[in-house]
Amino acid sequence: MSHHEHLADLYLRLSLDREGKTAIERQEADCRAWAARNDLEIRTVHIDRGRSGFKAVDRKGFDAAISALTTGTVGTLIVWKVDRLSRRGMGQVGQVLDDVEKAGGRIVFVQDGLDTSQQQSRLVLALLSEVARSESANIGVRVASAKAHLRSLGRWIGGQPPYGLAVGTDGRLDHDPTTAPTAREIADRALANEPLVRIARDLNARKIPSPRGGAWGVGTLSQLLKAPAFAGLLPETIKRDGKYTGQVVPWRSPETGETVEIGRGIITPAEQLRIVSLLGERAALDRTGHNRGVRAETSHLLTGFLRCGGCEGRMSAAGRSYVCHARRLGRPCPAHTTAFIAAVDRSVVDGWVSRLAAAEPGDRLLEAVAERWVAQHDPDIIRERATIQAALDDASAALVDLEDARYLRGEFQGADAVKRWERLRERLSGRVEGLRRNLADFPLPEADISPLLDPVQTREAWEAAKVDERRALLALALDYVTVLPAAGRRGVRFDPAARLRFAWADESTPATAD
């Protein structure tokens, strides 16, 4: 594997100064200064903002930075401090060091003065990484203790309170004079069993902003009405297996088992129970008034694939039809797009089968399908190749620009300038060739997609597949389908050529249904 010793990436992770300002800029300045002192060229900067180094969360910046190092795209990864890379102890750091060592790269920690290419650094890294893990664990204990203390006093523990409420100087909730009247109106209309979608449409028509400043929807209203703090009760987010679930319930004192008041709510707990009951009854009925029963675990075939031709938002299933999801939730949409599920499913599947069957050797769609097939079954190799390919594209573009600079723009005049141009060209050419060799070290696995090109075999496989398997097959070739509003009167036979626009995996612009 060919490393580019003169190239380095930076990895930065969000940190807070004592004044509350982000330290990302300071990290980057220190890392760039170190690179300059050591004659290294910065290729790119990977950043994880607001991502914990202690919790088991996805960190795209971290993954990309390590990938660039282990694939040989760069020779050095510069990190401000050990605890910026990880706070999960030697378990994670040790694995990273093993992978980096195998690849022949190195990680430099500027503030700690450590370089993993030096033998004595590993022992120090083990100690510092465990110290960082211990500090994070202790911070978690202190935060939990502070929250427990505030709960025992019946005070708000942080975050934005529900719409209509504000935190007073005593740490308890009270009515916000600006939004409380609207919040009470929402509650009264819900108690009168008015559909949430109608309430949302009215609030949007009156241009009343939602809690986050956007449009109101059914989900926003439902979440507000069910929030414990909306009824003046101290809330608690349920944890399961150490992770927050998003389920919020009234907190109960461990000593008494009773709920705790957090101040003055918009509604009473009794009113909230009534609202929850009414919402439950309404959710259990379909548009004809019949009980829908238990919702099926599997989603509809085209959930997530369809877009509304009116607002370009997604569409979802309601009864026997796919409908504009925004309109369904009370948000604005210039067209009330709707189409029967059976007709759309049948037309999309027919279009998918026909498009694959019509593909000839060399068709870009077949390449895209093969790549997605590999991505579904071997995602690691795709990620590694993508990292190298992105660097190769950048280097190739820089080489072309360098040629243009001399021969088109005339920027390198004189013997010394020409020599400097030749050195730059040699370095860039070497980088391009090295990246191409690295790409060859990660060949794309062969994907046999021939069964998808035979309509008979495709239909047989389709009939035997479950819904989630069918959706995975569709996603190999299809990005999304736009459903246009019906032009004529209702009840006319569904015309896929007029109503559907397919966006295939190989296209930047959608194609028609035929």
Side-chain angles (χ1 to χ4, degrees):
M1 185 177 296
S2 175
H3 273 83
H4 303 281
E5 302 298 337
H6 67 286
L7 290 179
D9 279 1
L10 308 186
Y11 174 70
L12 315 174
R13 187 171 63 80
L14 183 66
S15 178
L16 294 179
D17 291 327
R18 292 181 185 273
E19 295 82 12
K21 298 179 181 178
T22 61
I24 287 288
E25 292 77 9
R26 177 160 53 91
Q27 290 182 40
E28 182 172 358
D30 289 350
C31 290
R32 285 188 178 277
W34 189 93
R37 291 196 301 271
N38 290 272
D39 297 323
L40 291 176
E41 178 185 342
I42 302 300
R43 184 188 73 99
T44 192
V45 180
H46 308 281
I47 301 178
D48 281 319
R49 292 186 181 275
R51 307 302 290 174
S52 171
F54 180 64
K55 299 177 182 177
V57 296
D58 292 334
R59 287 195 283 159
K60 293 182 180 179
F62 174 86
D63 292 339
I66 299 303
S67 179
L69 195 58
T70 55
T71 58
T73 303
V74 297
T76 303
L77 177 63
I78 306 175
V79 185
W80 191 64
K81 210 170 184 293
V82 172
D83 64 6
R84 297 301 87 199
L85 184 73
S86 173
R87 282 183 174 269
R88 298 181 63 187
M90 197 56 188
Q92 183 180 58
V93 173
Q95 181 62 55
V96 169
L97 294 183
D98 288 343
D99 293 341
V100 170
E101 184 178 356
K102 289 177 184 177
R106 65 169 178 164
I107 305 177
V108 173
F109 300 94
V110 175
Q111 290 295 308
D112 302 308
L114 297 174
D115 183 338
T116 63
S117 64
Q118 300 172 357
Q119 282 292 334
Q120 65 271 24
S121 292
R122 183 152 185 148
L123 183 60
V124 179
L125 275 171
L127 176 62
L128 291 179
S129 61
E130 285 300 312
V131 168
R133 183 192 64 79
S134 178
E135 287 178 348
S136 289
N138 290 335
I139 288 172
V141 171
R142 291 196 296 271
V143 170
S145 177
K147 287 184 176 180
H149 178 66
L150 289 174
R151 284 194 176 107
S152 67
L153 298 176
R155 294 181 181 175
W156 189 248
I157 62 173
Q160 182 180 351
Y163 182 82
L165 296 171
V167 183
T169 55
D170 59 353
R172 292 170 64 79
L173 297 184
D174 201 351
H175 288 187
D176 180 334
T178 303
T179 57
T182 303
R184 184 63 222 188
E185 177 195 339
I186 292 171
D188 288 336
R189 295 172 71 170
L191 285 166
N193 206 17
E194 185 174 349
L196 296 188
V197 64
R198 187 182 301 167
I199 300 174
R201 288 173 182 167
D202 179 54
L203 294 173
N204 292 330
R206 291 155 56 188
K207 301 189 182 305
I208 297 176
S210 71
R212 296 186 180 275
W216 289 90
V218 171
T220 305
L221 289 172
S222 177
Q223 185 179 30
L224 173 65
L225 293 165
K226 294 177 181 178
F230 198 63
L233 300 178
L234 187 65
E236 176 187 21
T237 303
I238 299 297
K239 271 187 174 182
R240 189 170 290 113
D241 297 328
K243 297 180 180 179
Y244 287 108
T245 63
Q247 180 185 2
V248 183
V249 299
W251 182 76
R252 294 182 179 275
S253 168
E255 287 80 17
T256 65
E258 299 294 328
T259 58
V260 175
E261 290 186 358
I262 189 63
R264 186 181 173 204
I266 298 296
I267 56 177
T268 67
E271 287 176 322
Q272 188 170 65
L273 286 175
R274 176 60 180 159
I275 290 174
V276 170
S277 176
L278 289 171
L279 293 178
E281 291 173 3
R282 181 173 291 277
L285 300 177
D286 63 16
R287 288 188 295 178
T288 63
H290 295 94
N291 194 293
R292 292 192 300 198
V294 179
R295 184 178 181 181
E297 291 184 5
T298 54
S299 62
H300 290 79
L301 176 65
L302 298 179
T303 299
F305 282 102
L306 300 183
R307 294 188 182 180
C308 170
C311 65
E312 298 186 356
R314 67 189 183 95
M315 299 181 70
S316 57
R320 296 186 299 164
S321 299
Y322 288 117
V323 301
C324 172
H325 197 67
R327 184 66 180 264
R328 183 181 174 192
L329 297 182
R331 299 193 183 103
C333 174
H336 185 27
T337 307
T338 180
F340 283 120
I341 290 174
V344 177
D345 284 0
R346 181 174 59 252
S347 299
V348 168
V349 174
D350 288 345
W352 177 77
V353 172
S354 299
R355 178 67 179 86
L356 287 173
E360 299 288 344
D363 193 321
R364 179 67 186 93
L365 179 64
L366 299 185
E367 297 177 13
V369 170
E371 290 174 2
R372 291 187 180 189
W373 179 273
V374 174
Q376 285 184 8
H377 296 84
D378 196 352
D380 290 340
I381 194 71
I382 295 298
R383 184 174 61 250
E384 305 290 3
R385 284 181 60 85
T387 299
I388 300 173
Q389 186 63 57
L392 178 58
D393 292 342
D394 289 344
S396 298
L399 186 59
V400 170
D401 185 68
L402 186 66
E403 297 278 354
D404 290 347
R406 179 180 179 184
Y407 295 110
L408 296 181
R409 301 194 297 270
E411 295 179 7
F412 291 87
Q413 302 293 330
D416 291 341
V418 170
K419 288 181 180 180
R420 182 162 59 88
W421 179 87
E422 289 174 346
R423 288 196 301 271
L424 291 172
R425 186 178 186 281
E426 182 180 1
R427 174 182 289 186
L428 277 174
S429 297
R431 182 180 174 189
V432 168
E433 291 303 315
L435 286 167
R436 286 173 178 166
R437 288 193 296 270
N438 288 354
L439 200 60
D441 290 336
F442 293 89
L444 193 65
E446 292 293 330
D448 182 13
I449 62 171
S450 56
L452 293 176
L453 310 183
D454 184 331
V456 176
Q457 293 187 49
T458 300
R459 292 286 185 182
E460 291 176 352
W462 185 268
E463 293 301 325
K466 297 178 180 178
V467 173
D468 57 342
E469 295 169 335
R470 291 179 175 181
R471 289 168 53 78
L473 286 172
L474 284 178
L476 292 174
L478 189 63
D479 283 344
Y480 61 88
V481 179
T482 299
V483 183
L484 302 179
R489 59 184 177 83
R490 298 188 62 176
V492 177
R493 184 180 179 85
F494 184 81
D495 181 2
R499 297 286 307 279
L500 301 182
R501 296 293 180 269
F502 288 69
W504 300 104
D506 65 318
E507 298 171 342
S508 57
T509 56
T512 60
D514 54 5

